[in-house]
Amino acid sequence: MNVLNRSGRIISMVAVVLALGGCLAQAETRPAFGVVADIQYGDKEGSVLRDYRGSLKRLEQCAETFNSQRLDFVIQLGDSVDGYPTNAPGSCADLDQVLPVFNRLTAPTYHVVGNHCLNVGTNALALKLGLTNFYYTFSVPTAKGWRFVVLDGNDAGYGVVSDRQLAWFRDTLGQAQAAGEKVICFCHFPLLKTAAEHHRMAKPEEILKTLDAHTCVAAWIAGHEHAGGYARQRHVHHLTMRGLVEAPGSTAFARFELAGDRILETGFGNEPSRELFLGGASAPQTRRLSFENGRVWPDDKGVHINAHGGGVLFREGAYYWYGEHKIEGKAGNLAHVGVHVYSSKDLTNWKDEGVALKVSDDPASEIATGCVLERPKVIYNAKTGKYVMWFHLELKGQGYSAARSGVAVADAPAGPFTYLRSERPDAGVWPVNVTEAQKAALATVGQMKGLTFSGGPNPDTPKHALLARDFAGGQMARDMNLFVDDDGKAYHIFASEENSTLHLSLLSDDYLSHAGTYVRLFEHRWHEAPALCKRGGRYYLLASGCTGWAPNAARAAVAPSIWGPWTELANPCVGVNPLNRLGAEKTFGGQSAFILPVQGKKDAFIALFDIWKPDNAIDGRYVWLPLRFTDEGFAVAWRDTWDLSVFDQAE
Ligand code: GAL
């Protein structure tokens, strides 16, 4: 065992004695440890997202939090300094700022060596960290039956483990297995792409083979990829911790509790919380306790949720998330499967409930394979007991020219839904806010024959009488949403008139058709992706501008009645998505899809966005963020990781 600092050790002995004293009272106190990764402190300028200098302050706060808890040890996962490749003394000086903070920890501390640490120089590093070897194993008396193994990911080059270390690793695991111990491995480098999208160990194969061969290994906990990640492969939970250096304005560290059949991770700041079950393949699926924005979001089978442009319905104790099932590649933007549905009780863990509405093999069907079927939404009709789905439909082979609304119905929330028909809404009816000039234009619509429009913002479009043009055949309907008011009345809101103007249209009592009452909103403002909610008697709209799959700035509006008058508000988004470095001007890379009312919490709404990947549609990501209401409207602030408890906190 490597003792890292004397004072830490002495204090820890005292802590052990005290713990023993209170042992009877704390009979069921579980072993626990703290982990922090990629502090990467440096007395130098960073950037908005990579904040070297501020990392020290965050580490101090992290130490304070750790000291306020009962922990058996604290470990840092390497790259505690950023360092300077050609300036070892400078790198050393930075390390000298970091280590005293560790010395303040009351729990014993352990260090993992990362690639940046090497800027200090191997000898100086070993001396300062109190390590005779960068790979070692330790156990703590309070965590009976557990062995902790620290690996050196650089002893044969950057991200390469030597054969000598590998042999030692195999031996160590062999012994642990024979002794009936459970093992947690700590290394700077993650091993799996599914747990770290961009940065990993250069040659992880032999290590992975060794892990596979030893069922005693419970977890591989790493850093290096500051965005973090998680995957389970066979019996091993692969955790990549978020980096402290990339948590300005927040933090990133975690407490792990060894709780019999599971490991409980409690994340702080950007680091999420999870419940990791032990026991190999038969163990229950990992329970996610946090939303993790912009990342792969696995369902109960470990597959990325495939419900894009979606919406959520709450029925009889469960949430149902419906969305576009996409396939790989550009072809994935067309409907090859249909509408996928997932169910959940807690909004973070989703069970695959299959395809709720299948596209048809019959080429004559309006929803034939290869059509465009977007932004499906489902509402429940209490009068008929039916589940009603509406979606944006484009007929196969006709690009985006059809601009129709499809409707399907089911007896159960997960379907199967039966396709009924499609239409262009509100044929032969004028909106409630029609003008005499718009009506008069009916006489001249013949002159518009053959005119085409791009579907994007265009100064010419407002010159044409599109409302009158589509009066007889029904209004165009593309990006859409549904909203059910407290009185059970349902509304369909959609981008109409070549995407230039939103229409909000009342549905019939059975929700299966349009009732013939509608209003034009935000004329020639090119709102897309509309989503509505109601709070405190006011109606709120979230929407996007009109730039296809490319992100733009979000739009917002508020009204005292659903029919208006609607007042446009400023862009509600605040902050930056560190994964793509996109901020409010690009809605964090996303486009709105829905506003989800959280059950059992007052005024709690989540704004749902899609980060589209038009080149590989199936890889589209989700961003779910809490709405915070203000006097004027609402704000949607970026959060890397969060959970529903934010709704319980005072604003
Ligand atoms: C977006 C729209 C998507 C999809 C896409 C096609 O603006 O919100 O649902 O229709 O355009 O380019």
Side-chain angles (χ1 to χ4, degrees):
M1 174 179 149
N2 296 274
V3 178
L4 304 173
N5 70 65
R6 199 165 276 276
S7 60
R9 183 127 199 259
I10 290 166
I11 291 168
S12 80
M13 298 285 275
V14 173
V16 169
V17 171
L18 285 178
L20 284 177
C23 152
L24 289 178
Q26 299 181 2
E28 80 270 327
T29 306
R30 293 155 168 171
F33 57 89
V35 185
V36 59
D38 298 273
I39 300 156
Q40 242 166 293
Y41 169 70
D43 186 12
K44 57 182 172 182
E45 281 316 303
S47 61
V48 186
L49 294 171
R50 189 174 284 215
D51 166 33
Y52 302 116
R53 208 169 267 136
S55 221
L56 197 62
K57 187 97 214 125
R58 288 190 290 281
L59 182 64
E60 284 166 2
Q61 287 157 351
C62 163
E64 242 172 71
T65 308
F66 281 157
N67 278 348
S68 71
Q69 312 190 359
R70 200 204 60 78
L71 291 174
D72 294 291
F73 64 91
V74 170
I75 187 161
Q76 67 84 8
L77 297 183
D79 288 2
S80 57
V81 289
D82 190 63
Y84 314 88
T86 54
N87 179 3
S91 309
C92 248
D94 285 348
L95 187 60
D96 286 342
Q97 298 291 308
V98 171
L99 291 178
V101 185
F102 276 95
N103 291 346
R104 281 187 225 160
L105 285 163
T106 48
T109 49
Y110 293 90
H111 293 272
V112 176
V113 170
N115 44 302
H116 280 271
C117 305
L118 300 179
N119 285 326
V120 169
T122 315
N123 290 340
L125 187 66
L127 210 69
K128 287 190 182 288
L129 299 182
L131 294 173
T132 46
N133 207 341
F134 292 169
Y135 55 90
Y136 57 95
T137 165
F138 66 95
S139 56
V140 292
T142 39
K144 280 211 168 39
W146 285 90
R147 172 146 304 277
F148 304 97
V149 178
V150 173
L151 289 104
D152 175 8
N154 293 304
D155 74 331
Y158 174 49
V160 186
V161 169
S162 69
D163 289 344
R164 194 160 153 250
Q165 186 181 176
L166 255 174
W168 168 86
F169 186 46
R170 284 190 199 108
D171 264 12
T172 305
L173 292 189
Q175 282 166 26
Q177 183 119 347
E181 291 175 329
K182 282 180 277 190
V183 174
I184 293 179
C185 303
F186 300 105
C187 179
H188 181 65
F189 294 90
L191 304 172
L192 299 177
K193 186 167 178 13
T194 44
E197 273 192 273
H198 306 289
H199 307 283
R200 293 177 299 280
M201 187 176 275
K203 292 181 183 164
E205 296 76 16
E206 286 306 313
I207 300 260
L208 282 167
K209 263 192 229 158
T210 309
L211 295 181
D212 278 355
H214 295 89
T215 51
C216 58
V217 180
W220 177 274
I221 305 182
H224 192 54
E225 163 115 345
H226 300 172
Y230 167 81
R232 185 170 123 186
Q233 184 160 295
R234 303 207 187 182
H235 49 279
V236 184
H237 295 277
H238 291 257
L239 276 112
T240 311
M241 302 276 302
R242 312 283 207 263
L244 193 67
V245 69
E246 292 200 23
S250 180
T251 191
F253 59 90
R255 172 184 206 269
F256 289 84
E257 197 172 303
L258 305 175
D261 62 344
R262 70 197 72 184
I263 303 174
L264 263 173
E265 179 188 11
T266 305
F268 293 79
N270 294 347
E271 182 63 21
S273 300
R274 310 175 173 106
E275 210 172 343
L276 313 162
F277 296 93
L278 307 178
S282 58
Q285 194 64 30
T286 300
R287 233 162 63 81
R288 286 162 189 274
L289 305 173
S290 315
F291 296 102
E292 297 182 49
N293 282 318
R295 295 148 202 277
V296 166
W297 190 343
D299 65 9
D300 61 319
K301 295 173 182 155
V303 178
H304 182 44
I305 292 173
N306 201 340
H308 309 269
V312 178
L313 168 74
F314 183 78
R315 257 310 274 164
E316 292 177 337
Y319 294 94
Y320 294 87
W321 175 358
Y322 305 84
E324 304 159 28
H325 180 112
K326 306 244 187 198
I327 63 165
E328 278 178 20
K330 284 194 173 115
N333 299 309
L334 301 178
H336 295 270
V337 176
V339 177
H340 209 126
V341 58
Y342 297 81
S343 69
S344 173
K345 299 243 155 136
D346 59 14
L347 293 171
T348 44
N349 297 280
W350 292 89
K351 177 170 181 277
D352 182 0
E353 298 277 1
V355 180
L357 173 70
K358 287 195 168 65
V359 292
S360 173
D361 295 336
D362 176 2
S365 165
E366 287 190 325
I367 58 163
T369 308
C371 69
V372 169
L373 197 167
E374 290 179 343
R375 300 183 174 271
K377 302 288 176 290
V378 174
I379 50 181
Y380 174 71
N381 189 295
K383 285 192 190 124
T384 61
K386 301 277 185 200
Y387 295 82
V388 179
M389 177 191 291
W390 284 89
F391 50 88
H392 166 203
L393 176 67
E394 297 291 348
L395 304 174
K396 185 177 180 178
Q398 299 184 21
Y400 275 82
S401 63
R404 300 177 75 81
S405 299
V407 58
V409 70
D411 293 324
F417 280 77
T418 305
Y419 177 65
L420 296 180
R421 61 172 203 290
S422 77
E423 65 189 32
R424 278 200 165 182
D426 298 316
V429 242
W430 291 114
V432 292
N433 55 349
V434 69
T435 64
E436 286 312 313
Q438 283 164 339
K439 281 188 184 171
L442 209 49
T444 58
V445 291
Q447 297 165 12
M448 292 175 67
K449 237 188 154 77
L451 273 186
T452 54
F453 296 85
S454 69
N458 177 343
D460 277 347
T461 307
K463 296 179 192 152
H464 300 285
L466 299 174
L467 183 73
R469 181 196 66 182
D470 294 334
F471 178 78
Q475 299 296 326
M476 296 178 88
R478 291 202 183 112
D479 273 15
M480 57 144 277
N481 224 313
L482 299 177
F483 174 74
V484 182
D485 209 339
D486 308 329
D487 58 4
K489 285 195 184 344
Y491 301 85
H492 185 200
I493 185 165
F494 47 89
S496 195
E497 301 177 38
E498 305 288 353
N499 293 341
S500 68
T501 302
L502 286 180
H503 285 193
L504 178 114
S505 186
L506 177 69
L507 291 179
S508 56
D509 282 352
D510 61 6
Y511 301 166
L512 296 174
S513 58
H514 293 86
T517 309
Y518 72 107
V519 65
R520 298 174 73 239
L521 300 175
F522 311 102
E523 185 182 55
H524 305 138
R525 283 286 291 134
W526 306 91
H527 281 21
E528 279 201 316
L532 292 167
C533 73
K534 184 184 188 181
R535 182 246 185 193
R538 302 215 284 176
Y539 296 81
Y540 294 89
L541 170 88
L542 174 66
S544 73
C546 183
T547 52
W549 299 119
N552 53 54
R555 313 267 177 98
V558 61
S561 151
I562 197 153
W563 298 109
W566 283 89
T567 308
E568 239 189 286
L569 303 165
N571 180 350
C573 296
V574 184
V576 180
N577 172 357
L579 298 176
N580 56 17
R581 313 231 183 263
L582 296 177
E585 71 298 340
K586 298 280 182 212
T587 314
F588 320 118
Q591 189 180 25
S592 41
F594 193 67
I595 301 178
L596 189 171
V598 179
Q599 298 300 310
K601 291 191 189 271
K602 193 169 179 284
D603 294 340
F605 294 89
I606 305 175
L608 276 54
F609 302 87
D610 291 281
I611 296 184
W612 304 114
K613 299 275 175 79
D615 291 332
N616 186 21
I618 196 171
D619 192 36
R621 305 293 172 89
Y622 310 102
V623 172
W624 288 28
L625 293 168
L627 245 68
R628 192 174 51 77
F629 291 94
T630 58
D631 287 345
E632 310 77 51
F634 63 91
V636 180
W638 172 263
R639 285 169 190 259
D640 200 43
T641 302
W642 66 284
D643 61 54
L644 296 178
S645 68
V646 304
F647 293 118
D648 307 330
Q649 291 152 16
E651 287 183 0

